[in-house]
């Protein structure tokens, strides 16, 4: 059984779309007919995803933005809305391991915790703020999808900070759904399990592999 999804005439923004899960989300949205803004801090990788979409017959543009800067978040969202006649779908896929991989909770210092909470929870919240404002200004509703993680719903040894930040995204999503729902804005989260993306492959440790197998 297959389900056909027709997103013709819509415009979508996907953050962290230069590789991994984000790139696949962008490509599948385009296959369904949406015009996609591929946003990433890495220009070359974002452009490669755009080229892949165009080769498959879709419409896309790349947006280079560093979402750690508030003004870059606002620019990214407004650029996405301006490119294809508004914004209908926003996928907040930014999610990182703070560049230091995984490890025992006793080794995670304050800098690590602050960095990982910022790059997961805070950046998702800031993107959501900017997207919600565009949806409200347009007055036609919209769909916001926050990418959480399966690690947020189960004990996650050696991934405590990452799992906690993703669990916070779940609560953020629920709160935004109640707040924005009356304005016709749907806010949902998806929680993928472990996916062997480039970043995950680089960050795996022997401890995490052993815990997963056990």
């Amino acid at each position: 059984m297959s389900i056909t999804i027709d997103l013709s005439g819509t415009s979508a923004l996907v953050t962290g779309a230069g590789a991994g899960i984000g790139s696949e989300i962008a490509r599948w949205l385009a296959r369904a007919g949406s015009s996609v803004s591929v946003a990433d801090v890495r220009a070359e990788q974002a452009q490669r995803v755009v080229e892949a979409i165009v080769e498959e017959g879709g419409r896309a543009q790349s947006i280079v933005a560093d979402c750690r800067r508030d003004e870059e978040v606002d620019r990214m969202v407004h650029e996405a809305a301006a490119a294809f006649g508004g914004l209908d779908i926003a996928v907040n896929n930014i999610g990182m391991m703070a560049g230091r991989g995984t490890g025992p909770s006793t080794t995670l210092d304050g800098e690590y915790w602050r960095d990982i909470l910022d790059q997961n929870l805070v950046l998702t919240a800031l993107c959501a703020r900017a997207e919600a404002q565009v949806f409200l200004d347009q007055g036609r509703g919209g769909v916001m999808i926050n990418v959480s993680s399966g690690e947020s719903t189960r004990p996650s040894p050696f991934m405590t900070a990452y799992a906690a930040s993703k669990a916070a995204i779940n609560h953020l999503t629920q709160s935004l759904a109640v707040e924005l729902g009356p304005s016709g804005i749907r806010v949902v989260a998806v929680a993928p399990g472990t996916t062997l993306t480039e970043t995950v492959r680089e960050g795996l440790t022997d401890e995490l592999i052993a815990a997963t197998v056990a």
Side-chain angles (χ1 to χ4, degrees), residues 19-207:
I21 292 173
S23 67
E24 287 302 306
I25 292 173
R27 293 178 70 174
W28 278 100
L29 284 170
R31 289 167 188 155
S34 191
S35 298
V36 183
S37 292
V38 177
D40 204 283
V41 71
R42 303 158 295 186
E44 291 184 4
Q45 290 186 243
Q47 187 56 38
R48 279 199 293 269
V49 176
V50 168
E51 290 170 359
I53 289 172
V54 172
E55 286 177 5
E56 294 177 345
R59 296 181 68 201
Q61 68 158 354
S62 64
I63 301 177
V64 179
D66 184 347
C67 290
R68 291 169 295 187
R69 301 173 62 88
D70 290 12
E71 64 273 16
E72 289 282 282
V73 173
D74 292 334
R75 177 187 62 79
M76 173 187 69
V77 175
H78 284 91
E79 192 172 322
F84 300 116
L87 186 64
D88 303 289
I89 303 165
V91 182
N92 296 315
N93 175 64
I94 293 176
M96 307 175 190
M97 295 293 293
R100 298 193 330 202
T102 60
S105 60
T106 53
T107 68
L108 308 183
D109 58 18
E111 181 183 2
Y112 183 97
W113 273 97
R114 284 185 287 270
D115 196 20
I116 207 164
L117 285 169
D118 185 60
Q119 293 186 52
N120 288 286
L121 172 62
V122 176
L123 296 194
T124 297
L126 292 177
C127 289
R129 178 196 65 179
E131 294 152 0
Q133 190 60 59
V134 167
F135 288 151
L136 291 169
D137 291 344
Q138 291 175 159
R140 67 189 197 202
V143 179
M144 185 187 302
I145 303 168
N146 297 326
V147 178
S148 176
S149 170
E151 302 302 331
S152 69
T153 61
R154 57 179 177 249
S156 301
F158 306 104
M159 298 182 70
T160 51
Y162 177 81
S165 69
K166 289 295 189 175
I169 288 175
N170 294 343
H171 193 81
L172 169 70
T173 300
Q174 293 170 343
S175 298
L176 289 174
V178 173
E179 179 179 336
L180 299 173
S183 298
I185 301 169
R186 286 184 290 148
V187 187
V188 299
V190 294
T194 302
T195 305
L196 198 58
T197 62
E198 300 91 331
T199 302
V200 170
R201 188 180 294 108
E202 292 171 358
L204 286 175
T205 64
D206 292 339
E207 292 92 342

